[in-house]
Amino acid sequence: MKKLKETKISGISLPLYAFFVAVIIVVTLLGKLPLDMVGLTLLLVTLGHLLYFIGEKLPIMNSYLGGGSVFTLIGATLLSFFHIVPSNVIGAVSNFMGGKFGFLDFYIAALICGSILGMNRNLLVKASKKFIPIALITMVIGFFSVGLVGMLIGNGFADSVMYVSMPMMSGGMGAGITPLSQIYAAGLAHGNQAAIFSQLAPAVTFGNILAIIGALSIAKVFNKSKYNGHGTLVAATKEELAKPKIKLDAQQIGTGMLFAFALLMAGDILNKFFPNIHQYAFMIIIVFILKATNTVPKDLEESVVIFNQVIMTNLTHAVLAGIGLALIDLNTLASAFTWQFVVLCLTSVVVMGLASWFLARLFGLYPVETAIGAGMINNSMGGTGNIAVLSASDRMEMIAFAQMANRLCGAIVLIFGGILIRFFY
């Protein structure tokens, strides 16, 4: 019993954790799990921490396959695929995660604000002015590479770029292929949005899986090399890298939460007037300007960083569990699985990873972080994919740059998607 109590899952003793799991299993079997904030938060947090704990203990998984983060994602996906978790719960998790201002927005708002405001100002400005051009150039290289390989393997340039490259770089499901499928449908004589969406979805899903594997591989292979910035894009002084010592304060957590949510709302207001630009993109711009101009008072800045730390510590594994349960569909992926499709998806991930690596060396950034932040992230599923990619590669401090690249490139994909669909078809 003493040994059991000493074994802890996210700071909770094993007997107490077993009680949480038992409660969830019983209430689910009885059909009484509340499909609201209380029930779903308990489910996702408990499941996420448990799967992460198991993944970190499995010998091969923890050394070569991404450990707890990847195991949480895969484990939750399999629980959904084999219907171990009831379908009504999966549906509720999907709405809870991806609904307007849902659980994912709550998490990402904390991450964006905390990661930018917690960063050294000089470091942020230095990294951004080099990182954004690399992300855009990498996107162009990826687009033409997929098109040319498509021509070589008989898939055609147009189909390859429009149904593989563009959806992979569009920024995910909600802000990516949902509007992209609408744009395609409007541009085609007899376009059906639902049918087009089903054609685009496999590339987004499989691309995200490859991006996770790619990010994990880059981080592992080059862990002890000079190319690794250990979460920092650009070389920095000790002063710039120093983390401020912040004392946890309950009232400050609330203040930080309110400020982060207010900035998310500000992004949503701007999105109302410029609907083609995602609210996250506006939020990043606002927070970036506030940080670059030193507008935010130090105590308020610290409040947001504390809120960020609380959310990241407690909810990261829950978000990964939610992504696996509700947002990765193995059936859809299997239906599109041809060798040509696999080759094209691999081309996008590998070429964009290599391109961003060499561009990083040219621009003076750390290649490991740039290949993950510009190469892998631009093939991920938007906000959910960014979290999975960065969590697997232990680079969560790069979430602001990941969102920046993802949303900027996603907006460009939507603009050119409307032009090219008419040009090619």
Side-chain angles (χ1 to χ4, degrees):
M1 181 58 74
K2 185 181 177 182
K3 191 174 181 180
L4 287 175
K5 287 181 179 178
E6 288 174 354
T7 303
K8 294 183 182 295
I9 300 176
S10 297
I12 302 169
S13 65
L14 196 57
L16 180 57
Y17 212 91
F19 168 71
F20 295 157
V21 174
V23 167
I24 290 170
I25 291 172
V26 172
V27 78
T28 303
L29 289 174
L30 293 173
K32 289 291 186 178
L33 178 71
L35 302 181
D36 55 16
M37 185 176 177
V38 174
L40 296 177
T41 302
L42 177 63
L43 170 68
L44 294 178
V45 173
T46 305
L47 179 63
H49 285 319
L50 178 61
L51 292 174
Y52 185 87
F53 176 81
I54 294 170
E56 287 294 293
K57 297 295 181 183
L58 292 175
I60 297 175
M61 176 61 79
N62 63 10
S63 300
Y64 305 104
L65 300 175
S69 296
V70 174
F71 187 79
T72 303
L73 200 66
I74 294 171
T77 302
L78 293 175
L79 288 174
S80 173
F81 181 73
F82 290 110
H83 306 293
I84 296 170
V85 177
S87 58
N88 66 318
V89 175
I90 298 297
V93 170
S94 180
N95 291 330
F96 183 60
M97 291 286 294
K100 183 68 170 175
F101 297 129
F103 188 55
L104 199 58
D105 285 322
F106 180 93
Y107 181 82
I108 291 176
L111 251 63
I112 290 175
C113 280
S115 59
I116 295 178
L117 293 180
M119 195 182 296
N120 180 276
R121 176 184 169 276
N122 296 331
L123 198 59
L124 178 67
V125 174
K126 277 196 299 184
S128 298
K129 65 184 181 183
K130 295 180 179 181
F131 177 75
I132 294 171
I134 290 176
L136 294 174
I137 296 168
T138 299
M139 175 184 170
V140 174
I141 293 171
F143 175 87
F144 283 105
S145 298
V146 171
L148 291 172
V149 170
M151 290 172 65
L152 292 174
I153 63 176
N155 203 66
F157 185 93
D159 277 3
S160 299
V161 296
M162 299 305 284
Y163 289 94
V164 178
S165 179
M166 296 283 272
M168 285 177 71
M169 297 189 298
S170 67
M173 297 287 186
I177 62 170
T178 298
L180 187 63
S181 61
Q182 292 172 331
I183 291 168
Y184 282 10
L188 296 170
H190 302 287
N192 180 289
Q193 194 218 339
I196 294 170
F197 184 91
S198 65
Q199 288 177 277
L200 301 177
V204 176
T205 306
F206 189 57
N208 192 66
I209 293 169
L210 292 179
I212 293 168
I213 296 169
L216 169 65
S217 303
I218 293 166
K220 285 283 185 185
V221 172
F222 298 99
N223 183 44
K224 296 182 180 179
S225 75
K226 64 180 180 180
Y227 304 117
N228 187 0
H230 301 284
T232 304
L233 276 164
V234 65
T237 63
K238 287 184 179 179
E239 291 75 21
E240 288 174 330
L241 288 173
K243 299 290 183 183
K245 292 181 180 179
I246 300 172
K247 186 179 178 182
L248 194 65
D249 182 277
Q251 192 171 41
Q252 278 192 293
I253 294 171
T255 304
M257 179 183 71
L258 291 174
F259 190 62
F261 291 171
L263 293 179
L264 179 62
M265 296 297 108
D268 199 51
I269 291 168
L270 291 171
N271 171 258
K272 178 71 176 176
F273 297 101
F274 305 95
N276 288 332
I277 302 176
H278 197 275
Q279 66 202 46
Y280 291 164
F282 280 123
M283 185 185 183
I284 291 166
I285 293 167
I286 293 167
V287 182
F288 185 93
I289 292 171
L290 291 175
K291 181 67 180 181
T293 56
N294 273 332
T295 304
V296 182
K298 196 67 180 175
D299 59 340
L300 180 55
E301 200 171 85
E302 289 181 357
S303 297
V304 178
V305 173
I306 293 171
F307 175 55
N308 167 271
Q309 291 173 350
V310 171
I311 296 304
M312 276 197 65
T313 302
N314 293 287
L315 297 183
T316 297
H317 307 151
V319 170
L320 291 173
I323 293 168
L325 283 176
L327 301 178
I328 297 181
D329 186 354
L330 293 183
N331 286 317
T332 302
L333 184 59
S335 65
F337 226 73
T338 63
W339 72 268
Q340 292 96 333
F341 172 76
V342 174
V343 168
L344 292 173
C345 290
L346 277 169
T347 298
S348 181
V349 173
V350 172
V351 169
M352 290 175 72
L354 290 171
S356 54
W357 178 282
F358 288 109
L359 285 168
R361 299 194 66 185
L362 185 67
F363 278 71
L365 299 182
Y366 281 112
V368 169
E369 277 65 30
T370 309
I372 292 170
M376 300 304 105
I377 285 297
N378 276 341
N379 285 290
S380 76
M381 278 173 68
T384 56
N386 294 348
I387 294 165
V389 169
L390 295 180
S391 180
S393 57
D394 195 23
R395 295 293 189 284
M396 286 300 289
E397 58 267 59
M398 288 178 58
I399 187 67
F401 291 103
Q403 291 285 5
M404 198 183 298
N406 209 261
R407 295 307 165 192
L408 179 61
C409 293
I412 292 171
V413 163
L414 295 182
I415 293 166
F416 279 93
I419 298 169
L420 295 176
I421 196 70
R422 291 176 173 86
F423 177 77
F424 286 132
Y425 298 100

